[in-house]
Amino acid sequence: MPDSLNRMVITPELNYDQLTIAEATLVQQQLRGHLNLEPLQKQVRTIAGADISLALYSETVYAGLVVLSYPELQPVAYSLDKSSTIFPYVPGYLAFREIPAILKAYEQLPVKPDIVMFDGNGILHARRMGIASHFGVLTDTVTMGCAKKKLAGQYAEPGTSKGEYTHVTDKGEVIGYALRTKDGVKPVFISPGHQMSLEDSLTLALKCTGRHRLPEPTRHAHEYVNRFRIGALTEGYHEIDSWTLF
């Protein structure tokens, strides 16, 4: 791989805006060579949800991670960052718009979570390098994806009851799950990002599912980032007093 692209992988917050789509594709291919889908090896005590908020063609990105205790799923801390990007909105390449800001929020966390769940895809991606896989390989972090829409592959509709699921396949390969997280609502799409197996991602998604369509980590991340965007929360790292939860 050329040294210039290697530097882009190492320092995305400095370089991703400079990439063409062809160069971004090369970055995804290079990162895919380091993908680890072996079963989860670590004990899980915390899990974070990661999300961003931005208008489709806006250059301003509001990013956040909310850390939850596990298995209690109680928010204990959050980190928020506001930055900008000029990387274009191109399906399949959203990591290049979002990761630089999420990385800054992640770096603000004094203690890193055991797992990061993204509002986006892991290997459920045409090149097996959705934002969760991209971030996981880049940072050597255990990650998984929970997307609201299918980015790649085919699936049969799961049963209508909470907890029912079907495989999402692409070119004969299982790349994730369509999971019903609430009776009668649309499924979400679960896949491993990095350092966990397909089965691990499904198990964790089920254990993180409460009364809502979105699993608790990404549901909280979505709420916190949107509150940040409207000015109800401030940038930086914050620990959560249990009495101030909303």
Side-chain angles (χ1 to χ4, degrees):
M1 182 178 185
D3 288 342
S4 59
L5 282 183
N6 188 52
R7 287 195 297 273
M8 290 171 188
V9 171
I10 294 170
T11 56
E13 71 277 16
L14 300 178
N15 299 102
Y16 274 9
D17 277 351
Q18 302 170 23
L19 295 179
T20 66
I21 296 301
E23 289 171 332
T25 301
L26 287 176
V27 170
Q28 290 179 334
Q29 292 170 347
Q30 191 269 346
L31 291 173
R32 183 176 176 179
H34 299 279
L35 195 61
N36 176 358
L37 299 178
E38 294 296 319
L40 183 65
Q41 297 296 318
K42 66 193 301 183
Q43 184 176 359
V44 182
R45 295 187 176 90
T46 57
I47 183 168
D51 196 11
I52 61 101
S53 179
L54 78 169
L56 188 60
Y57 300 108
S58 172
E59 294 182 2
T60 304
V61 181
Y62 298 85
L65 291 101
V66 180
V67 182
L68 284 67
S69 61
Y70 184 89
E72 300 83 6
L73 302 177
Q74 294 300 310
V76 296
Y78 62 95
S79 177
L80 302 170
D81 177 80
K82 178 182 176 182
S83 59
S84 62
T85 180
I86 60 171
F87 193 90
Y89 177 86
V90 181
Y93 296 89
L94 298 187
F96 294 92
R97 281 171 62 84
E98 301 176 5
I99 276 183
I102 292 176
L103 183 60
K104 290 176 183 177
Y106 180 76
E107 289 172 343
Q108 290 177 159
L109 294 171
V111 179
K112 306 305 188 230
D114 294 316
I115 296 174
V116 182
M117 178 188 290
F118 282 80
D119 182 8
N121 291 283
I123 65 168
L124 207 160
H125 182 277
R127 290 170 297 283
R128 310 299 184 257
M129 194 48 59
I131 188 170
S133 294
H134 193 134
F135 186 93
V137 173
L138 198 67
T139 59
D140 194 28
T141 304
V142 184
T143 59
M144 62 178 289
C146 174
K148 294 185 284 291
K149 296 180 180 179
K150 179 182 69 68
L151 185 62
Q154 302 81 38
Y155 72 101
E157 195 72 17
T160 58
S161 299
K162 177 179 178 178
E164 296 194 73
Y165 65 90
T166 57
H167 291 128
V168 180
T169 61
D170 184 43
K171 300 175 182 176
E173 178 185 1
V174 177
I175 58 173
Y177 303 92
L179 171 65
R180 194 83 65 188
T181 51
K182 186 177 180 180
D183 290 354
V185 303
K186 293 180 180 179
V188 295
F189 297 91
I190 304 299
S191 60
H194 185 53
Q195 296 183 7
M196 72 168 63
S197 67
L198 277 158
E199 293 79 8
D200 288 330
S201 69
L202 179 62
T203 297
L204 284 161
L206 289 167
K207 288 184 176 179
C208 288
T209 298
R211 296 182 294 108
H212 305 273
R213 181 188 178 215
L214 295 182
E216 290 299 283
T218 50
R219 184 181 74 84
H220 282 291
H222 179 76
E223 290 180 355
Y224 277 65
V225 167
N226 282 330
R227 288 173 64 88
F228 176 40
R229 184 177 181 177
I230 65 173
L233 296 174
T234 59
E235 194 168 17
Y237 169 74
H238 307 268
E239 295 183 359
I240 297 174
D241 185 330
S242 60
W243 294 102
T244 64
L245 290 177
F246 50 82

